[in-house]
Amino acid sequence: MARISLLRRIAGILIVLSLTSCASEKDYLITIDTAYGKMYAILYDETPAHKENFISLAEAGRYDSTTFYRIIEDFMIQGGDVFNKENMEQKVWYTLPSEFNENLIHEKGSIAAARQGDQINPEMRSSGCQFYIVEGKVYEEPELTTDLRKLQKAFTQYLQLETNLELREKYADLYQKGEYDSINSLMLSHKVVLEKFFNLNLGLDKRKNQVEAYTTVGGTPHLDDTYTVFGKVIKGIDVLDEIASLETGSNDLPITPVYMKVNVEFISKKKIAKEYGYQYPQK
């Protein structure tokens, strides 16, 4: 009898392990449907609070008929204001603890949680509903690995020297024409000179994954480690680009409202990999 009882316990454990294994072979596919097409996304297991919250809101239909209300080309599109849509009192708007992960960065297509500013939100807690999708831009490595604020400050001081009149006039001409990318290139070309002249280190440490992503697919590196990235668009980047290029008015509000409908489907990871091209990290 003891032997039979032991065998039953072993069989029970094997069944539980089998069910757990089957469950881990599935994931949630998120579909964000707009008038401009559909974006398909996955959410990261490394950010469980954000993943669970987003899925809960989506499955309840609470994201439906919210809009992408803030659009900035080469930066991001932001939306999902469930609380205002539902006329909830601000005192009951909940937030989520930050879930920063150095492997989850603001590369193009990343989904991240919006939040209030540091002065009133020093813990960097996330909005309980609002999110943004990164468009960003592609960076050259020198631009990515340079502290541009320090560079600009040093360059401005350098321009004040009488011997740099010609350089100052060139800078003023570019500024007047609004050629800000050319200004950045001009400052970066003087980085070594400025470091030697002022005895400064204008470098900015970036992790390998940041350099690889931002010099290829692009993104918004200055938001890393301060806003929680919890998902990624795996198909429909062209839809993101089209929405990001829409005409906007005051406060970056699109002239024509961009409504969304969000669906959730629990399907096999193999299907997600095959149909949507996303490769899950090996564990």
Side-chain angles (χ1 to χ4, degrees):
M1 291 295 292
R3 179 179 175 82
I4 293 174
S5 178
L6 176 60
L7 289 173
R8 283 177 178 172
R9 285 201 298 271
I10 293 173
I13 292 170
L14 290 175
I15 290 171
V16 170
L17 289 174
S18 176
L19 290 173
T20 303
S21 176
C22 290
S24 68
E25 292 305 312
K26 288 188 174 184
D27 198 6
Y28 293 91
L29 177 70
I30 309 298
T31 304
I32 303 174
D33 196 355
T34 74
Y36 301 90
K38 297 179 181 180
M39 291 176 281
Y40 300 90
I42 55 92
L43 306 180
Y44 297 125
D45 291 336
E46 294 86 347
T47 54
H50 287 72
K51 182 171 185 173
E52 181 181 353
N53 179 70
F54 189 98
I55 291 169
S56 176
L57 292 173
E59 288 184 329
R62 296 176 70 184
Y63 275 126
D64 297 348
S65 298
T66 61
T67 64
F68 286 106
Y69 67 88
R70 185 179 178 221
I71 292 175
I72 304 177
E73 191 169 15
D74 295 331
F75 184 32
M76 57 91 220
I77 62 174
Q78 180 174 332
D81 191 355
V82 171
F83 299 158
N84 265 319
K85 185 197 84 168
E86 296 178 350
N87 297 314
M88 290 173 58
E89 293 185 30
Q90 193 164 355
K91 64 182 180 181
V92 297
W93 291 8
Y94 65 86
T95 59
L96 302 173
S98 60
E99 294 182 294
F100 302 144
N101 185 313
E102 65 178 19
N103 295 317
L104 307 179
I105 61 176
H106 284 77
E107 62 186 308
K108 185 171 185 175
S110 290
I111 302 173
R115 66 174 178 83
Q116 292 182 308
D118 293 356
Q119 289 186 338
I120 59 174
N121 180 28
E123 295 180 354
M124 301 182 186
R125 294 180 65 88
S126 301
S127 165
C129 61
Q130 293 190 49
F131 64 94
Y132 59 92
I133 306 176
V134 175
E135 185 185 36
K137 68 171 189 174
V138 175
Y139 289 79
E140 296 292 334
E141 188 168 341
E143 182 181 9
L144 186 65
T145 56
T146 299
D147 189 326
L148 294 178
R149 291 183 180 179
K150 287 184 179 179
L151 176 68
Q152 185 174 29
K153 182 177 180 181
F155 189 74
T156 301
Q157 289 179 292
Y158 190 66
L159 289 179
Q160 306 312 310
L161 299 175
E162 290 298 326
T163 53
N164 291 329
L165 176 61
E166 185 177 342
L167 182 61
R168 186 160 66 243
E169 290 175 345
K170 185 175 183 179
Y171 173 87
D173 181 58
L174 292 173
Y175 186 83
Q176 187 175 9
K177 293 177 180 177
E179 297 181 7
Y180 302 116
D181 287 341
S182 296
I183 289 176
N184 276 348
S185 296
L186 181 64
M187 292 192 299
L188 286 166
S189 70
H190 286 75
K191 177 183 175 180
V192 175
V193 172
L194 293 171
E195 286 182 321
K196 290 181 178 180
F197 187 84
F198 291 109
N199 192 26
L200 291 173
N201 178 6
L202 298 175
L204 195 62
D205 291 334
K206 288 294 180 184
R207 300 185 293 270
K208 182 180 179 181
N209 62 327
Q210 292 174 307
V211 174
E212 289 178 350
Y214 296 131
T215 57
T216 54
V217 297
T220 56
H222 67 282
L223 298 180
D224 284 347
D225 308 316
T226 55
Y227 289 77
T228 297
V229 174
F230 65 93
K232 181 179 183 179
V233 173
I234 58 176
K235 185 178 180 181
I237 289 292
D238 56 323
V239 178
L240 164 64
D241 289 336
E242 186 171 357
I243 294 174
S245 68
L246 294 176
E247 182 182 359
T248 57
S250 59
N251 297 321
D252 304 312
L253 184 72
I255 301 299
T256 303
V258 182
Y259 291 98
M260 73 177 81
K261 180 178 176 62
V262 182
N263 295 311
V264 180
E265 187 179 4
F266 193 53
I267 62 176
S268 73
K269 291 181 178 179
K270 285 185 178 180
K271 183 176 180 180
I272 291 174
K274 181 178 180 180
E275 296 188 12
Y276 302 93
Y278 179 72
Q279 298 301 316
Y280 285 89
Q282 296 295 322
K283 294 184 179 181

